[in-house]
Amino acid sequence: MTVRVGVIGAGMIGQDHIRRLTEVVTGATVTAVTDIDAERAAEVAARVGATALPTGTDLIDSPVVDAVLVTSWGPTHAEHVLNAVAAGKPVFCEKPLATSAEDCLRVVEAERAHGRRLVQVGFMRRFDAGYRQMKEVITAGGIGTPLIVHCAHRNPTVPEAYTSRMAAQDTAVHEIDVLRWLLDDEIVSAQVVTPRATSKRFAHLKDPQIMYFETAGGVRVDLEVFVNCQYGYDIQCETVGEDGLVRLPDPAAVGVRAAGRHGTAVQQDWKGRFVDAFDTEFREWIASVEAAVEPTGPSAWDGYAATVITDAAVRSLDSGGAVVTVDMKPRPALYGGTA
Ligand code: NAD
Ligand code: ISE
């Protein structure tokens, strides 16, 4: 069976995922595209022989759509995901699942009422080979009990529209998700402090920021978010355990020796850094839809958890650095909990 995917939001990442579904992943085809910019929807749909539809509701209800991909702006995600769940169709939603914890919970409740998981959230780092190797080592006891995690998330620059809160909501949210998964532990508090700001930023922005998280199991995490670091897109993660440590590898790159120097290139954006992770993410999602089984990737609950934890980080930032307790509901049985 070929999975017929309808795409809501034909912007930057929507177009990249359409290319991926069309040229990289087998067993999928894009049959419908919608965007509030109808011209853009028509142009992108024409490129892949899909139909442009006027609204997300039309697309979800379309008989030529088996599964839905939501790549529109964050504040619109919840509505499209809720409509897809109501229609009983599998739905992949780029992060965030929703921009408020309340809206995330509405999705969780809708899925619980449906009785099985239909939603996967686009936290692609869980599909990155390096993070997967780290998890294997930690799970196998290769470093003993984890104690500390040191992370850095650096972007070369960000546009003027990027705000101080987005350091948590848009950027650190990837670490928040991947650390919960990596450690199989829940984040219970967040604190955000700010060192001297870089001069190479828009004046309104607090950059860099240092975030501290604590897990229920007592692991402490420090995360540097520096979104105007200039030199490249650089993701670092090192977990220290009782018996050793495990470090995320840098992406493979040739070493160049020339002019008396030895070096390797640094990635310049998330698209290149995580290209293989995105491909794997979509292969595994399409395989689950094809087999009519629940997706194994990040769930609606993970989307909720990430939003509640980023909310705590934002409250800490706004308060000038208070330690903020994460106020998370008990995890329902559908997502491996007991509630
Ligand atoms: P973008 O602005 O380039 O594209 C969004 C598109 O959605 C636009 O074409 C816009 O017209 C359209 N749109 C907005 N509301 C709509 C609606 N209700 N119905 C239909 N179309 C609508 O944005 P982007 O950079 O492609 O980001 C899209 C989403 O992907 C965001 O939620 C972002 O956080 C996420 N994202 C994830 C990653 C990642 O690393 N996983 C990276 C970048 C972006
Ligand atoms: C962007 O939205 C992403 O998701 C990238 O992975 C992240 O590195 C960047 O900081 C965000 O703005």
Side-chain angles (χ1 to χ4, degrees):
M1 163 198 166
T2 298
V3 177
R4 299 170 303 174
V5 181
V7 181
I8 301 176
M12 181 180 51
I13 205 163
Q15 291 185 40
D16 197 40
H17 289 338
I18 289 172
R19 177 199 58 75
R20 175 164 287 113
L21 286 167
T22 311
E23 297 174 13
V24 181
V25 176
T26 52
T29 178
V30 175
T31 48
V33 176
T34 188
D35 197 290
I36 45 165
D37 180 342
E39 226 172 88
R40 177 178 289 179
E43 186 202 312
V44 173
R47 254 187 251 158
V48 291
T51 307
L53 293 172
T55 67
T57 313
D58 296 321
L59 182 139
I60 290 164
D61 292 340
S62 166
V64 302
V65 169
D66 303 316
V68 179
L69 168 58
V70 179
T71 46
S72 50
W73 294 321
T76 70
H77 289 183
E79 178 199 338
H80 298 308
V81 173
L82 283 166
N83 287 339
V85 171
K89 293 191 180 181
V91 51
F92 182 108
C93 179
E94 255 309 336
K95 59 94 183 163
L97 174 60
T99 44
S100 72
E102 291 71 28
D103 278 350
C104 289
L105 280 178
R106 286 171 64 212
V107 175
V108 163
E109 288 311 323
E111 213 179 28
R112 284 178 81 188
H114 179 76
R116 63 188 287 270
R117 282 191 52 199
L118 286 173
V119 180
Q120 177 163 328
V121 182
F123 290 121
M124 75 296 187
R125 291 201 189 173
R126 296 187 187 203
F127 302 86
D128 175 74
Y131 276 111
R132 285 187 162 185
Q133 285 164 25
M134 283 184 83
K135 184 165 173 68
E136 273 172 32
V137 170
I138 294 169
T139 307
I143 59 164
T145 304
L147 307 171
I148 309 168
V149 191
H150 306 291
C151 306
H153 186 152
R154 304 191 186 108
N155 291 204
T157 54
V158 287
E160 192 164 8
Y162 186 103
T163 63
S164 296
R165 289 175 169 198
M166 286 170 74
Q169 293 166 334
D170 206 47
T171 299
V173 69
H174 286 291
E175 272 79 14
I176 287 169
D177 178 70
V178 85
L179 290 169
R180 296 177 60 249
W181 167 83
L182 194 64
L183 300 170
D184 195 17
D185 200 352
E186 198 51 270
I187 292 173
V188 295
S189 76
Q191 181 186 21
V192 181
V193 297
T194 51
R196 176 163 67 197
T198 172
S199 62
K200 296 180 178 178
R201 75 194 201 284
F202 290 102
H204 64 80
L205 187 62
K206 290 181 175 150
D207 183 45
Q209 298 182 19
I210 304 170
M211 306 191 181
Y212 297 105
F213 300 103
E214 186 180 8
T215 72
V219 178
R220 293 280 186 173
V221 177
D222 59 82
L223 163 62
E224 169 202 318
V225 175
F226 187 10
V227 293
N228 289 285
C229 80
Q230 309 296 309
Y231 72 87
Y233 185 80
D234 193 8
I235 303 300
Q236 301 291 329
C237 181
E238 179 181 279
T239 303
V240 181
E242 283 177 337
D243 300 324
L245 62 85
V246 59
R247 185 178 295 144
L248 186 70
D250 283 327
V254 287
V256 179
R257 287 166 199 262
R261 303 178 75 85
H262 176 210
T264 54
V266 177
Q267 289 283 338
Q268 291 302 305
D269 63 25
W270 50 267
K271 265 193 191 175
R273 170 64 181 83
F274 287 111
V275 63
D276 294 340
F278 282 119
D279 289 351
T280 305
E281 178 184 43
F282 273 86
R283 277 197 196 96
E284 294 187 13
W285 178 61
I286 289 296
S288 73
V289 176
E290 203 174 359
V293 296
E294 292 189 350
T296 53
S299 66
W301 181 258
D302 295 317
Y304 162 72
T307 299
V308 180
I309 297 162
T310 52
D311 283 352
V314 165
R315 282 212 303 281
S316 175
L317 176 75
D318 290 351
S319 74
V323 177
V324 177
T325 302
V326 174
D327 183 18
M328 198 178 295
K329 305 273 184 219
R331 188 196 290 248
L334 182 63
Y335 309 102
T338 50

